[in-house]
Amino acid sequence: DTGVSQDPRHKITKRGQNVTFRCDPISEHNRLYWYRQTLGQGPEFLTYFQNEAQLEKSRLLSDRFSAERPKGSFSTLEIQRTEQGDSAMYLCASSSRLAGGHNEQFFGPGTRLTVL
Amino acid sequence: GNSVTQMEGPVTLSEEAFLTINCTYTATGYPSLFWYVQYPGEGLQLLLKATKADDKGSNKGFEATYRKETTSFHLEKGSVQVSDSAVYFCALSDTTNAGKSTFGDGTTLTVKP
């Protein structure tokens, strides 16, 4: 399967701990997006990369959040000093101008974070 | 900015009933419109899409038509099945906004046998 993959699928942590999620986009997709989805809501944009450059960050992305895409392939999203309000599904998506255009994003299965 | 407003749920139907889930949008550019489906504990699956006005997206018996004059993209299915029970999200993305997606809050559909 060559779709977007995310790891881990589920993460349970205690408040104050750091967590890191990984996203592997579809090969050769140059854009990668992170979204957060809380219970009963639609996904909300967090940040996106074009190749290795992080081009935009939402105001939802506090200083405790950092995202990287060091070689323009996989990406990591780290949350430091987790809070209970960080509990959500974190979704990754990728797109390519050559595969449907950047208007069409392909989503991964998500990482569900629970902060106790 | 861009926004998507979806019909509030939950929606409960009997098998073989007709389904409509309303969706209207506000966008500054010329967006593409999407319907996604999410089954419990899973990620988003693209159900159908339309990239320009008057386009009709269709898949698995579901249809939606991009109506620019009413800024709408309502989802319809003529005969729902129990297996259609899921949460449905209307969304738009816009290349003038870096292709970021804006989602509605989702509508939960339950189909009873």
Side-chain angles (χ1 to χ4, degrees):
Chain A
D1 183 57
T2 57
V4 178
S5 62
Q6 292 186 244
D7 183 69
R9 295 290 306 276
H10 303 273
K11 179 70 177 179
I12 300 173
T13 191
K14 293 182 179 180
R15 188 176 49 159
Q17 298 295 304
N18 299 344
V19 294
T20 300
F21 310 140
R22 176 178 170 128
C23 170
D24 287 88
I26 293 172
S27 178
E28 299 180 356
H29 275 196
N30 63 334
R31 282 198 185 168
L32 186 149
Y33 304 78
W34 285 99
Y35 293 83
R36 182 172 68 186
Q37 184 182 17
T38 53
L39 199 62
Q41 304 291 319
E44 295 176 292
F45 169 78
L46 292 179
T47 187
Y48 89 98
F49 294 83
Q50 178 150 315
N51 300 314
E52 66 276 9
Q54 187 174 17
L55 297 186
E56 186 173 343
K57 293 191 292 186
S58 162
R59 56 182 169 78
L60 295 176
L61 215 64
S62 77
D63 291 344
R64 297 183 297 106
F65 288 69
S66 62
E68 295 181 344
R69 194 182 183 199
K71 298 182 180 179
S73 56
F74 73 91
S75 175
T76 58
L77 178 67
E78 180 183 16
I79 309 174
Q80 296 182 326
R81 305 181 304 281
T82 53
E83 302 173 355
Q84 287 183 329
D86 297 331
S87 296
M89 173 83 88
Y90 290 85
L91 294 165
C92 176
S94 68
S95 69
S96 166
R97 185 172 59 84
L98 299 178
H102 288 305
N103 266 2
E104 181 169 354
Q105 297 167 13
F106 297 80
F107 282 84
T111 294
R112 181 169 296 284
L113 173 65
T114 302
V115 181
L116 302 176
Chain B
N2 295 342
S3 67
V4 175
T5 302
Q6 264 185 256
M7 165 181 169
E8 289 186 12
V11 174
T12 302
L13 296 174
S14 298
E15 206 165 22
E16 299 184 1
F18 184 84
L19 168 71
T20 299
I21 301 178
N22 290 339
C23 171
T24 57
Y25 68 90
T26 302
T28 53
Y30 299 93
S32 294
L33 302 176
F34 305 87
W35 277 99
Y36 291 89
V37 60
Q38 187 173 41
Y39 298 99
E42 298 187 10
L44 294 171
Q45 296 179 25
L46 178 64
L47 181 59
L48 54 82
K49 66 177 182 179
T51 58
K52 61 183 187 297
D54 299 326
D55 271 2
K56 176 184 282 189
S58 61
N59 186 27
K60 300 180 181 179
F62 291 89
E63 293 182 340
T65 301
Y66 189 141
R67 300 287 189 199
K68 188 176 179 182
E69 64 276 12
T70 54
T71 62
S72 65
F73 193 56
H74 305 321
L75 182 68
E76 297 182 337
K77 186 175 186 183
S79 177
V80 294
Q81 305 300 311
V82 173
S83 58
D84 294 327
S85 298
V87 182
Y88 292 82
F89 291 93
C90 184
L92 66 84
S93 69
D94 184 351
T95 52
T96 66
N97 199 22
K100 294 177 293 186
S101 292
T102 301
F103 290 83
D105 285 338
T107 300
T108 300
L109 171 66
T110 301
V111 180
K112 296 188 173 180

